[in-house]
Amino acid sequence: MKAGIVGLPNVGKSTLFNCLSNAKAQSANFPFCTIEPNIGVVNVPDPRLKKLEELVKPERVLPATVEIVDIAGLVKGASKGEGLGNQFLANIRETDAILHVLRCFDNDNIVHVDGNINPIRDKETIDIELQLKDLETAEKKLDKVKRAAKTGNKEAQKEEAVLLKIKEGLEQGTSIRALDFSEDDYAAYVKPLQFITDKPVMYVCNVDENSAVSGNDYVEQVKEAVKNENAEVLVLAVGTEADINELDDYEERQMFLEDIGLDEPGSSKLIRSAYKLLNQQTYFTAGVKEVRAWTVDIGATAPQAAGVIHTDFEKGFIRAEVIAYDDYVNYGSEAKVKEAGKMRVEGKQYIVKDGDVMHFLFNV
């Protein structure tokens, strides 16, 4: 699962990507510095993993990861191929969620492609380009469906109604994620078309250091503008995060964070939020060889969770032994959890909960 970082040129995307991945992508004070998308595999910060490590003392610990893609800055006219438009839109279509970076700070030394700071205008510039691209997709599909609908095909008539609703919404500047569909219509006609404005989005307000804790007027404008979008807004001082990242010493980093009033790097919050945005959750396996965090979709069944480790585990799934994370920590070991009767045996219908410590029995 991938989350793509998007935004206008020079809003702090590549600097943010570097903070998240420690892969030093080019970041320079001019547009189109990022052409090829940079991909970073980022560890998901999870204090539960540290706790399990203390209790189990394994040979190695493996955290869950999320893939972050740094995508070239978008400009007006991208949907018609302006700038790096076509490439940008192809790259963003391949991601599962969008981290939309908005510049919410003043700094005369960093040029803005439109000459002044206005995060709402910047958001709309990108929204319009993405909506235009989706409109193109919807219209192409509609042309095909209309012909079948005219012949009296009931299925095609249903699809035509959904596509007309999408077309109308996009023409009025409404992203697809803000439109209402029945579950069946969404699964049958909307999801397969992989619309860009249907992807879940989080707005990252890039602020100056003084606004890192409580935001500023620009941030309030963004919150007001996106309140109907069912989107999260995260405040992050990207330049400050980059400075913290440069410090090798953990204690120094903590002191820096305390000085500006933060209890952890904003990038850690962003990674966890991106993980949630991708509809992901974590379960653990814990043994002396390794303690490991595994990623599954929220709502996954026990066999699907087993399949993340190996497809054979899913095929030959018999049952899962499950310990709730809190029980594992309270009793201190697997043996003590068993003694207390707190280990559960679950079958194929079990829906995995975030933090479950699991062991699978299978037969191939």
Side-chain angles (χ1 to χ4, degrees):
M1 299 289 277
K2 291 183 201 166
I5 301 177
V6 306
L8 291 177
N10 284 8
V11 295
K13 294 184 317 303
S14 294
T15 308
L16 173 61
F17 175 81
N18 290 341
C19 285
L20 296 179
S21 67
N22 284 333
K24 306 290 182 196
Q26 274 181 295
S27 72
N29 183 13
F30 54 89
F32 302 136
C33 174
T34 313
I35 296 173
E36 286 302 318
N38 292 293
I39 298 179
V41 178
V42 182
N43 291 340
V44 179
D46 193 332
R48 296 174 299 185
L49 206 54
K50 191 93 190 112
K51 191 69 193 163
L52 288 171
E53 182 185 4
E54 285 167 18
L55 296 172
V56 180
K57 301 186 173 48
E59 287 171 25
R60 62 178 187 161
V61 177
L62 292 168
T65 58
V66 62
E67 236 176 67
I68 305 281
V69 188
D70 175 26
I71 296 170
L74 187 68
V75 291
K76 275 187 193 129
S79 57
K80 301 277 179 283
E82 289 293 319
L84 301 159
N86 293 331
Q87 195 177 354
F88 171 98
L89 292 158
N91 292 337
I92 197 172
R93 201 181 285 287
E94 287 168 19
T95 64
D96 303 287
I98 296 170
L99 308 176
H100 187 158
V101 182
L102 294 167
R103 178 168 168 180
C104 294
F105 66 90
D106 296 301
N107 181 337
D108 294 339
N109 297 322
I110 300 174
V111 294
H112 188 291
V113 285
D114 287 327
N116 64 338
I117 309 305
N118 183 337
I120 306 308
R121 177 202 57 212
D122 296 355
K123 172 192 172 315
E124 283 167 2
T125 297
I126 287 203
D127 282 351
I128 288 164
E129 295 307 323
L130 301 183
Q131 286 160 3
L132 285 169
K133 200 66 191 171
D134 278 350
L135 188 56
E136 198 182 291
T137 305
E139 284 173 339
K140 269 187 199 161
K141 184 70 175 169
L142 198 52
D143 284 346
K144 286 182 192 161
V145 172
K146 270 181 173 164
R147 287 195 287 275
K150 274 180 186 156
T151 67
N153 180 319
K154 290 275 186 283
E155 190 68 19
Q157 286 169 350
K158 274 167 72 178
E159 184 166 12
E160 183 185 25
V162 171
L163 288 166
L164 284 169
K165 180 178 178 175
I166 287 170
K167 181 175 183 285
E168 211 172 280
L170 290 167
E171 284 171 345
Q172 289 168 3
T174 304
S175 291
I176 292 167
R177 74 178 77 84
L179 299 173
D180 281 329
F181 304 98
S182 72
E183 261 181 55
D184 291 348
D185 283 353
Y186 179 79
Y189 313 124
V190 185
K191 197 168 186 224
L193 291 173
Q194 286 187 299
F195 289 112
I196 299 172
T197 66
D198 185 38
K199 295 178 190 294
V201 67
M202 174 163 60
Y203 294 99
V204 181
C205 294
N206 182 10
V207 298
D208 55 73
E209 186 175 310
N210 295 335
S211 310
V213 177
S214 45
N216 57 25
D217 287 347
Y218 293 133
V219 174
E220 293 312 309
Q221 289 168 29
V222 172
K223 285 180 178 170
E224 180 59 28
V226 307
K227 65 175 187 239
N228 298 328
E229 271 194 58
N230 192 23
E232 192 174 340
V233 176
L234 195 82
V235 177
L236 203 64
V238 175
T240 308
E241 295 282 327
D243 293 341
I244 294 169
N245 233 20
E246 294 298 317
L247 301 170
D248 292 324
D249 184 66
Y250 174 78
E251 268 73 32
E252 276 183 26
R253 286 204 298 269
Q254 290 308 109
M255 277 165 63
F256 196 138
L257 286 166
E258 277 166 28
D259 282 351
I260 56 172
L262 295 174
D263 50 3
E264 67 169 347
S267 53
S268 296
K269 282 190 188 119
L270 186 131
I271 295 164
R272 282 200 299 274
S273 300
Y275 193 64
K276 266 208 204 98
L277 197 64
L278 290 163
N279 197 39
Q280 305 281 279
Q281 64 178 5
T282 301
Y283 78 85
F284 301 103
T285 50
V288 286
K289 282 275 177 218
E290 70 173 24
V291 163
R292 183 164 183 166
W294 299 88
T295 300
V296 286
D297 287 347
I298 292 170
T301 60
Q304 287 168 332
V308 174
I309 300 176
H310 199 289
T311 48
D312 284 353
F313 284 25
E314 185 170 1
K315 281 183 205 145
F317 179 90
I318 300 169
R319 63 180 183 273
E321 294 174 346
V322 183
I323 302 169
Y325 169 78
D326 288 344
D327 287 339
Y328 204 108
V329 171
N330 288 342
Y331 291 97
S333 73
E334 191 177 307
K336 284 183 181 157
V337 171
K338 277 182 184 167
E339 269 172 42
K342 290 286 187 181
M343 180 187 273
R344 306 189 313 277
V345 174
E346 300 286 1
K348 289 184 177 178
Q349 305 306 312
Y350 177 69
I351 303 294
V352 177
K353 293 180 182 62
D354 187 56
D356 278 348
V357 182
M358 303 183 82
H359 178 68
F360 300 105
L361 285 88
F362 67 100
N363 180 19
V364 178

